[in-house]
Coordinates of all heavy atoms in Angstrom, one line a residue:
K112 N 34.3 8.2 -2.7 CA 34.4 7.2 -1.6 C 32.9 6.6 -1.4 O 32.7 5.4 -1.3 CB 34.8 7.9 -0.3 CG 36.4 8.1 -0.4 CD 36.8 8.8 1.0 CE 38.2 9.1 0.9 NZ 39.1 8.2 1.4
L113 N 32.0 7.5 -1.3 CA 30.6 6.9 -1.0 C 30.0 6.1 -2.2 O 29.3 5.1 -1.9 CB 29.6 8.2 -0.8 CG 29.9 8.9 0.6 CD1 29.0 10.2 0.7 CD2 29.5 8.0 1.8
D114 N 30.4 6.5 -3.4 CA 29.9 5.8 -4.5 C 30.5 4.3 -4.5 O 29.8 3.3 -5.0 CB 30.3 6.5 -5.9 CG 29.4 5.9 -7.0 OD1 28.2 6.0 -6.8 OD2 29.9 5.3 -8.0
K115 N 31.6 4.2 -3.9 CA 32.2 2.8 -3.9 C 31.8 2.0 -2.7 O 32.0 0.8 -2.5 CB 33.7 2.9 -3.8 CG 34.4 3.3 -5.1 CD 36.0 3.1 -5.0 CE 36.7 3.9 -6.0 NZ 37.4 5.0 -5.3
S116 N 31.0 2.6 -1.7 CA 30.6 2.1 -0.5 C 29.2 1.4 -0.8 O 28.7 1.4 -1.9 CB 30.4 3.1 0.6 OG 29.3 3.9 0.4
D117 N 28.6 1.0 0.4 CA 27.3 0.2 0.2 C 26.2 1.1 0.5 O 25.1 0.5 0.6 CB 27.4 -0.9 1.4 CG 27.6 -2.2 1.0 OD1 27.6 -2.4 -0.3 OD2 27.7 -3.2 1.8
V118 N 26.3 2.4 0.5 CA 25.1 3.2 0.6 C 24.2 3.1 -0.6 O 24.7 2.8 -1.7 CB 25.5 4.7 0.9 CG1 26.5 5.0 2.0 CG2 26.1 5.4 -0.3
D119 N 23.0 3.3 -0.5 CA 22.1 3.2 -1.6 C 21.9 4.4 -2.5 O 21.8 4.2 -3.6 CB 20.5 2.9 -1.1 CG 20.7 1.5 -0.3 OD1 20.9 0.5 -1.0 OD2 20.3 1.5 0.9
I120 N 21.9 5.5 -1.9 CA 21.7 6.8 -2.6 C 22.6 7.9 -2.0 O 22.9 7.8 -0.8 CB 20.2 7.2 -2.4 CG1 19.2 6.2 -3.1 CG2 20.0 8.6 -2.8 CD1 17.8 6.3 -2.7
I121 N 23.1 8.7 -2.8 CA 23.8 9.9 -2.3 C 23.0 11.1 -2.4 O 22.4 11.5 -3.5 CB 25.1 10.1 -3.1 CG1 26.0 8.8 -2.9 CG2 25.9 11.4 -2.7 CD1 27.3 8.8 -3.7
E122 N 22.8 11.9 -1.3 CA 22.1 13.1 -1.3 C 23.1 14.2 -1.2 O 23.7 14.4 -0.2 CB 21.2 13.2 -0.1 CG 20.4 14.4 0.0 CD 19.4 14.4 1.2 OE1 19.8 14.3 2.3 OE2 18.1 14.5 1.0
L123 N 23.2 15.0 -2.3 CA 24.3 16.0 -2.3 C 23.8 17.3 -1.7 O 22.8 17.9 -2.1 CB 24.6 16.3 -3.8 CG 25.6 17.2 -4.1 CD1 27.1 16.8 -3.7 CD2 25.7 17.5 -5.7
N124 N 24.4 17.6 -0.6 CA 23.9 18.7 0.3 C 24.6 20.0 -0.1 O 25.7 20.2 0.3 CB 24.2 18.4 1.8 CG 23.7 19.4 2.8 OD1 23.2 20.5 2.3 ND2 23.7 19.1 4.0
I125 N 23.8 20.9 -0.8 CA 24.5 22.2 -1.3 C 23.6 23.2 -0.6 O 23.4 24.3 -1.0 CB 24.5 22.4 -2.8 CG1 23.0 22.2 -3.4 CG2 25.4 21.5 -3.5 CD1 22.9 22.6 -4.8
S126 N 23.2 22.9 0.7 CA 22.2 23.8 1.3 C 22.5 24.0 2.8 O 21.6 24.5 3.6 CB 20.8 23.1 1.1 OG 20.8 21.8 1.2
C127 N 23.7 23.6 3.4 CA 23.9 23.8 4.7 C 24.2 25.2 5.1 O 25.2 25.7 4.5 CB 25.1 22.9 5.3 SG 25.6 23.4 7.0
P128 N 23.4 26.0 5.9 CA 23.6 27.4 6.1 C 24.7 27.7 7.1 O 24.8 28.9 7.4 CB 22.2 27.8 6.6 CG 21.7 26.7 7.2 CD 22.2 25.4 6.6
N129 N 25.3 26.7 7.7 CA 26.1 27.0 8.9 C 27.6 26.8 8.8 O 28.3 26.6 9.8 CB 25.6 26.0 10.0 CG 24.1 26.3 10.4 OD1 23.7 27.5 10.3 ND2 23.4 25.2 10.7
V130 N 28.1 26.8 7.6 CA 29.6 26.6 7.4 C 30.1 27.8 6.5 O 29.2 28.4 5.7 CB 29.9 25.3 6.7 CG1 29.8 24.1 7.6 CG2 29.1 25.0 5.4
K131 N 31.2 28.3 6.7 CA 31.7 29.4 6.0 C 32.1 29.2 4.6 O 31.9 29.9 3.7 CB 32.9 30.0 6.8 CG 32.5 30.6 8.2 CD 33.3 31.9 8.5 CE 32.8 32.5 9.8 NZ 33.0 31.7 11.0
E132 N 32.6 28.0 4.5 CA 33.0 27.5 3.1 C 32.2 26.4 2.6 O 31.9 25.5 3.3 CB 34.5 27.1 3.1 CG 35.5 28.2 3.0 CD 36.8 27.8 3.6 OE1 37.1 26.6 3.7 OE2 37.6 28.7 3.9
G133 N 31.8 26.5 1.4 CA 31.0 25.4 0.7 C 29.6 25.5 1.3 O 28.9 26.6 1.5
G134 N 28.9 24.3 1.4 CA 27.5 24.2 1.9 C 26.6 25.1 1.1 O 26.6 24.9 -0.2
M135 N 25.9 25.8 1.8 CA 24.8 26.6 1.0 C 25.3 27.6 0.0 O 24.5 28.0 -0.9 CB 24.0 27.4 2.1 CG 22.7 28.0 1.6 SD 21.8 28.9 3.0 CE 22.7 30.5 2.9
N136 N 26.6 28.0 0.1 CA 27.2 28.8 -0.9 C 27.1 28.2 -2.3 O 27.1 28.9 -3.3 CB 28.6 29.2 -0.6 CG 28.9 29.9 0.7 OD1 28.1 30.7 1.0 ND2 29.8 29.4 1.5
F137 N 26.9 26.9 -2.4 CA 26.8 26.2 -3.7 C 25.3 26.2 -4.1 O 25.0 25.8 -5.2 CB 27.4 24.8 -3.6 CG 28.8 24.8 -3.7 CD1 29.6 24.5 -2.5 CD2 29.5 25.1 -4.8 CE1 31.0 24.4 -2.6 CE2 30.8 25.0 -4.9 CZ 31.7 24.7 -3.7
G138 N 24.4 26.6 -3.1 CA 23.0 26.4 -3.4 C 22.2 27.6 -3.6 O 21.0 27.6 -3.4
I139 N 22.9 28.8 -3.7 CA 22.1 30.0 -3.9 C 21.9 30.4 -5.4 O 20.9 30.6 -5.8 CB 22.9 31.2 -3.2 CG1 23.1 30.8 -1.7 CG2 22.1 32.5 -3.3 CD1 21.8 30.8 -0.9
K140 N 23.1 30.3 -6.1 CA 23.0 30.7 -7.5 C 23.0 29.4 -8.4 O 23.9 28.6 -8.2 CB 24.1 31.6 -7.9 CG 24.2 33.0 -7.3 CD 25.1 33.9 -7.9 CE 25.1 35.2 -7.2 NZ 23.8 36.0 -7.4
S141 N 22.1 29.3 -9.3 CA 22.0 28.0 -10.1 C 23.3 27.8 -10.9 O 23.7 26.6 -11.1 CB 20.9 28.2 -11.2 OG 19.7 28.6 -10.6
K142 N 23.9 28.9 -11.4 CA 25.2 28.6 -12.1 C 26.3 27.9 -11.2 O 27.0 27.1 -11.7 CB 25.7 30.1 -12.6 CG 26.6 30.0 -13.8 CD 26.8 31.4 -14.3 CE 28.2 31.5 -14.9 NZ 29.2 32.2 -14.2
V143 N 26.3 28.3 -10.0 CA 27.4 27.7 -9.1 C 27.0 26.3 -8.7 O 27.8 25.4 -8.7 CB 27.5 28.5 -7.8 CG1 28.4 28.0 -6.8 CG2 27.8 30.0 -8.1
A144 N 25.7 26.0 -8.5 CA 25.2 24.7 -8.2 C 25.5 23.8 -9.5 O 25.8 22.6 -9.2 CB 23.7 24.7 -8.0
R145 N 25.4 24.3 -10.6 CA 25.5 23.5 -11.9 C 26.9 22.9 -11.8 O 27.2 21.6 -12.1 CB 25.4 24.3 -13.1 CG 24.1 24.4 -13.6 CD 24.1 25.3 -14.9 NE 22.7 25.5 -15.4 CZ 22.1 24.6 -16.1 NH1 22.6 23.5 -16.5 NH2 20.8 24.9 -16.4
E146 N 27.9 23.7 -11.4 CA 29.3 23.1 -11.4 C 29.6 22.1 -10.5 O 30.2 21.1 -10.9 CB 30.2 24.3 -11.0 CG 30.5 25.3 -12.1 CD 31.4 26.5 -11.6 OE1 32.5 26.2 -11.0 OE2 31.0 27.6 -11.7
V147 N 29.1 22.2 -9.3 CA 29.3 21.0 -8.3 C 28.5 19.9 -8.7 O 29.0 18.6 -8.6 CB 29.1 21.5 -6.9 CG1 27.6 21.9 -6.5 CG2 29.5 20.4 -5.9
V148 N 27.3 20.0 -9.2 CA 26.6 18.8 -9.6 C 27.2 18.0 -10.7 O 27.3 16.9 -10.8 CB 25.0 19.3 -9.9 CG1 24.2 17.9 -10.4 CG2 24.4 19.7 -8.7
R149 N 27.6 18.9 -11.8 CA 28.3 18.4 -13.0 C 29.5 17.5 -12.6 O 29.8 16.4 -13.0 CB 28.7 19.5 -13.8 CG 29.2 19.1 -15.2 CD 29.7 20.3 -16.0 NE 28.6 21.3 -16.1 CZ 28.9 22.6 -16.1 NH1 30.1 23.1 -15.9 NH2 27.9 23.5 -16.0
E150 N 30.3 18.1 -11.7 CA 31.6 17.4 -11.3 C 31.4 16.1 -10.5 O 31.9 15.1 -10.6 CB 32.5 18.3 -10.6 CG 33.0 19.6 -11.4 CD 33.6 19.1 -12.8 OE1 34.5 18.1 -12.7 OE2 33.3 19.6 -13.8
V151 N 30.4 16.2 -9.6 CA 30.0 15.1 -8.7 C 29.4 14.0 -9.6 O 29.7 12.8 -9.4 CB 29.0 15.4 -7.5 CG1 28.5 14.2 -6.9 CG2 29.9 16.4 -6.5
R152 N 28.5 14.4 -10.5 CA 27.9 13.4 -11.4 C 28.9 12.5 -12.1 O 28.6 11.4 -12.3 CB 27.0 14.2 -12.3 CG 26.2 13.2 -13.4 CD 25.0 12.5 -12.8 NE 25.4 11.2 -12.1 CZ 24.4 10.5 -11.6 NH1 23.1 10.9 -11.5 NH2 24.7 9.3 -10.9
K153 N 30.0 13.1 -12.5 CA 31.0 12.4 -13.3 C 31.5 11.2 -12.5 O 32.0 10.2 -13.2 CB 32.2 13.3 -13.6 CG 31.9 14.3 -14.7 CD 33.2 15.2 -15.0 CE 32.8 16.4 -15.8 NZ 33.9 17.5 -15.7
V154 N 31.5 11.3 -11.2 CA 32.2 10.2 -10.4 C 31.1 9.3 -9.7 O 31.5 8.3 -8.9 CB 33.2 10.7 -9.3 CG1 34.3 11.5 -10.1 CG2 32.6 11.6 -8.3
V155 N 29.8 9.6 -9.9 CA 28.8 8.9 -9.1 C 27.9 8.0 -10.0 O 27.3 8.5 -11.0 CB 27.9 9.9 -8.3 CG1 26.7 9.2 -7.8 CG2 28.8 10.4 -7.1
E156 N 27.9 6.7 -9.8 CA 27.0 5.8 -10.5 C 25.7 5.6 -9.8 O 24.7 5.3 -10.4 CB 27.8 4.6 -10.8 CG 28.7 4.6 -12.0 CD 29.4 3.4 -12.3 OE1 29.0 2.3 -11.8 OE2 30.5 3.5 -12.8
K157 N 25.8 5.7 -8.5 CA 24.6 5.5 -7.6 C 23.6 6.6 -8.0 O 23.9 7.7 -8.4 CB 25.1 5.5 -6.2 CG 25.8 4.3 -5.7 CD 26.0 4.4 -4.2 CE 27.0 3.4 -3.8 NZ 26.6 2.0 -3.7
P158 N 22.4 6.5 -7.5 CA 21.4 7.5 -7.6 C 21.8 8.8 -6.9 O 22.4 8.7 -5.7 CB 20.1 7.0 -6.9 CG 20.3 5.4 -7.0 CD 21.7 5.2 -6.9
L159 N 21.8 9.9 -7.5 CA 22.2 11.1 -7.0 C 21.1 12.1 -6.8 O 20.5 12.5 -7.8 CB 23.3 11.7 -7.9 CG 23.9 13.1 -7.5 CD1 24.7 13.0 -6.2 CD2 24.8 13.7 -8.6
V160 N 20.8 12.3 -5.6 CA 19.7 13.3 -5.3 C 20.4 14.7 -4.8 O 21.3 14.7 -4.0 CB 18.8 12.8 -4.1 CG1 17.8 13.8 -3.6 CG2 18.1 11.6 -4.6
V161 N 19.9 15.8 -5.2 CA 20.5 17.1 -4.8 C 19.5 17.8 -3.8 O 18.4 17.9 -4.1 CB 20.8 18.0 -6.0 CG1 21.4 19.3 -5.4 CG2 21.8 17.3 -7.0
K162 N 20.1 18.0 -2.6 CA 19.3 18.7 -1.6 C 19.4 20.2 -1.7 O 20.4 20.7 -1.5 CB 19.6 18.2 -0.2 CG 18.8 18.8 0.9 CD 19.0 17.9 2.2 CE 18.1 18.5 3.4 NZ 18.2 17.7 4.5
L163 N 18.2 20.9 -1.9 CA 18.2 22.3 -2.2 C 17.9 23.2 -1.0 O 17.3 22.7 0.0 CB 17.2 22.6 -3.2 CG 17.2 21.9 -4.6 CD1 16.1 22.6 -5.5 CD2 18.6 21.9 -5.2
S164 N 18.4 24.4 -1.0 CA 18.3 25.3 0.0 C 17.0 26.3 -0.4 O 16.9 26.6 -1.6 CB 19.5 26.3 0.1 OG 19.2 27.4 0.9
P165 N 16.2 26.5 0.6 CA 15.0 27.4 0.3 C 15.6 28.9 0.1 O 14.8 29.7 -0.4 CB 14.2 27.3 1.5 CG 15.2 27.0 2.6 CD 16.2 26.1 2.1
N166 N 16.8 29.1 0.4 CA 17.4 30.4 0.2 C 18.0 30.6 -1.2 O 18.5 31.7 -1.5 CB 18.6 30.6 1.2 CG 18.1 30.3 2.6 OD1 17.3 31.0 3.2 ND2 18.7 29.3 3.2
A167 N 17.7 29.7 -2.1 CA 18.1 29.8 -3.5 C 17.5 30.9 -4.1 O 16.3 31.3 -3.8 CB 17.7 28.4 -4.3
E168 N 18.2 31.6 -5.1 CA 17.6 32.8 -5.7 C 16.3 32.4 -6.3 O 15.3 33.3 -6.3 CB 18.6 33.4 -6.8 CG 19.7 34.2 -6.0 CD 20.7 34.7 -7.1 OE1 20.6 34.3 -8.3 OE2 21.6 35.6 -6.7
D169 N 16.3 31.3 -7.1 CA 15.1 30.9 -7.7 C 15.1 29.4 -7.6 O 15.7 28.6 -8.4 CB 15.1 31.4 -9.2 CG 14.0 30.9 -10.1 OD1 13.3 30.0 -9.6 OD2 13.7 31.6 -11.1
I170 N 14.1 28.9 -6.8 CA 14.1 27.5 -6.5 C 13.8 26.6 -7.7 O 14.4 25.5 -7.9 CB 13.2 27.2 -5.3 CG1 13.4 25.8 -4.7 CG2 11.7 27.3 -5.7 CD1 14.6 25.8 -3.7
V171 N 13.0 27.1 -8.6 CA 12.6 26.2 -9.8 C 13.8 26.2 -10.7 O 14.1 25.1 -11.2 CB 11.3 26.8 -10.5 CG1 11.1 26.0 -11.8 CG2 10.1 26.7 -9.5
D172 N 14.3 27.3 -11.0 CA 15.6 27.4 -11.8 C 16.7 26.5 -11.2 O 17.4 25.8 -12.0 CB 16.0 28.8 -12.0 CG 17.1 28.9 -13.1 OD1 16.8 28.5 -14.2 OD2 18.3 29.3 -12.7
M173 N 16.8 26.6 -9.9 CA 17.9 25.8 -9.3 C 17.6 24.3 -9.5 O 18.5 23.5 -9.9 CB 17.8 26.1 -7.7 CG 18.7 25.3 -7.0 SD 20.5 25.5 -7.2 CE 20.8 27.1 -6.6
A174 N 16.4 23.8 -9.3 CA 16.0 22.4 -9.4 C 16.2 22.0 -10.9 O 16.8 20.9 -11.2 CB 14.6 22.2 -9.0
V175 N 15.8 22.8 -11.8 CA 15.9 22.4 -13.2 C 17.4 22.4 -13.6 O 17.8 21.5 -14.3 CB 15.2 23.5 -14.2 CG1 15.5 23.3 -15.6 CG2 13.6 23.3 -13.8
S176 N 18.1 23.3 -13.1 CA 19.6 23.3 -13.4 C 20.2 22.0 -13.0 O 21.2 21.4 -13.6 CB 20.3 24.5 -12.7 OG 19.6 25.7 -13.3
C177 N 19.9 21.6 -11.7 CA 20.6 20.5 -11.1 C 20.1 19.2 -11.9 O 21.0 18.3 -12.2 CB 20.2 20.3 -9.6 SG 20.8 21.5 -8.6
V178 N 18.9 19.1 -12.3 CA 18.4 18.0 -13.2 C 19.2 18.0 -14.5 O 19.6 17.0 -15.0 CB 16.9 18.0 -13.3 CG1 16.5 16.9 -14.3 CG2 16.2 17.8 -12.0

Side-chain angles (χ1 to χ4, degrees):
K112 283 179 188 272
L113 289 171
D114 199 56
K115 286 195 205 108
S116 80
D117 256 356
V118 305
D119 295 299
I120 293 166
I121 297 175
E122 180 176 60
L123 184 65
N124 183 349
I125 55 168
S126 41
C127 171
N129 301 324
V130 286
K131 294 217 170 71
E132 277 157 18
M135 194 180 81
N136 299 317
F137 285 106
I139 303 295
K140 293 192 182 294
S141 305
K142 205 171 145 251
V143 180
R145 273 183 185 278
E146 280 178 52
V147 64
V148 177
R149 189 182 309 143
E150 295 309 313
V151 167
R152 178 76 275 179
K153 284 181 193 162
V154 300
V155 168
E156 279 175 23
K157 290 187 191 286
L159 180 67
V160 171
V161 182
K162 185 167 181 179
L163 304 189
S164 169
N166 308 297
E168 279 180 351
D169 178 336
I170 198 77
V171 172
D172 186 62
M173 175 62 74
V175 169
S176 301
C177 291
V178 172

